Amino acid sequence: VDLVVLAGFPIASSSEESIALIRQLLMREGRSLLFIPSRQLDLAKLAELGDALPIRADARMNSRAELRASLAINPSAQEDPLLRIPPNQRKEISWEGLVPLFKTETHFVTLPESKTLATATVQGIKMDEPLLVTRTIGAARQVALTGYGIWQWKLTTFGREEAYAGKADTSKPTISALDLFLANAVRWLT
């Protein structure tokens, strides 16, 4: 195993054995991690992973109410490998212009050695809430989103303004934000 991907895990029916295996892979064996939550995420079982994740849910601010949150990229993260944009597409691409992610009102806090690449913006208001976090511990790297529904980024390709204006240029391939994000994440994590 080079990379552990937790997409919507753990949920209420997740076994203790599965959680223990994931914890072992992350803590003892130092495997890299990509974490994407879901609405069904079981926060009590997530807490069992403890410091194996770069984020932790704040038990005092835990709500299943759902909202839409956009990325607000931290200025210091503009050149981060996770957010790298091909040079020929830099004029067309804006991470902050993507469709907002779904997010529960659960407040997540980052662990001290974690780096917040993007915070949540809700209806144009910047929140002090991490939305995209990375962490490096030894040889292991971790990426965690606190929002979900990144599948929408596949539908929102970069350069969509040109497509809507009828200026389809078939000479330059359009890449979806989801494809670019996942390619960058897997490359950086492994």
Side-chain angles (χ1 to χ4, degrees):
V1 174
D2 292 324
L3 174 63
V4 175
V5 178
L6 300 180
F9 179 90
I11 58 174
S13 61
S14 298
S15 69
E16 297 300 319
E17 294 82 18
S18 297
I19 294 171
L21 176 62
I22 297 298
R23 186 169 174 75
Q24 176 183 335
L25 287 169
L26 297 176
M27 296 296 286
R28 290 193 195 127
E29 297 183 25
R31 304 299 184 209
S32 292
L33 167 75
L34 174 59
F35 174 77
I36 304 167
S38 71
R39 186 168 188 176
Q40 293 79 27
L41 188 69
D42 187 316
L43 294 173
K45 290 193 176 193
L46 182 68
E48 292 177 26
L49 290 172
D51 292 342
L53 301 174
I55 55 172
R56 180 175 31 248
D58 186 345
R60 297 170 295 156
M61 300 178 75
N62 181 358
S63 171
R64 290 266 183 221
E66 195 172 58
L67 48 91
R68 303 279 294 188
S70 298
L71 293 170
I73 306 297
N74 289 340
S76 62
Q78 293 291 337
E79 298 299 318
D80 192 88
L82 205 61
L83 302 173
R84 186 167 292 138
I85 298 169
N88 62 337
Q89 292 183 304
R90 289 197 175 133
K91 290 181 181 178
E92 303 147 2
I93 294 176
S94 169
W95 289 108
E96 294 174 335
L98 294 173
V99 173
L101 297 175
F102 296 107
K103 184 174 179 355
T104 62
E105 289 183 348
T106 300
H107 179 68
F108 286 92
V109 293
T110 58
L111 297 185
E113 60 276 359
S114 298
K115 178 181 174 186
T116 301
L117 300 183
T119 55
T121 300
V122 178
Q123 296 180 349
I125 299 170
K126 286 188 178 184
M127 313 296 282
D128 186 26
E129 173 73 22
L131 195 57
L132 178 59
V133 177
T134 61
R135 177 170 79 163
T136 302
I137 299 178
R141 294 179 172 181
Q142 299 179 333
V143 173
L145 281 165
T146 62
Y148 49 93
I150 64 170
W151 57 268
Q152 297 170 100
W153 291 355
K154 182 72 170 176
L155 305 174
T156 311
T157 56
F158 293 125
R160 66 183 178 272
E161 293 80 13
E162 291 178 1
Y164 288 136
K167 300 178 191 173
D169 183 358
T170 57
S171 66
K172 68 176 181 188
T174 48
I175 184 169
S176 77
L178 178 63
D179 293 339
L180 183 59
F181 175 76
L182 291 176
N184 286 349
V186 170
R187 190 176 303 112
W188 184 75
L189 288 165
T190 58

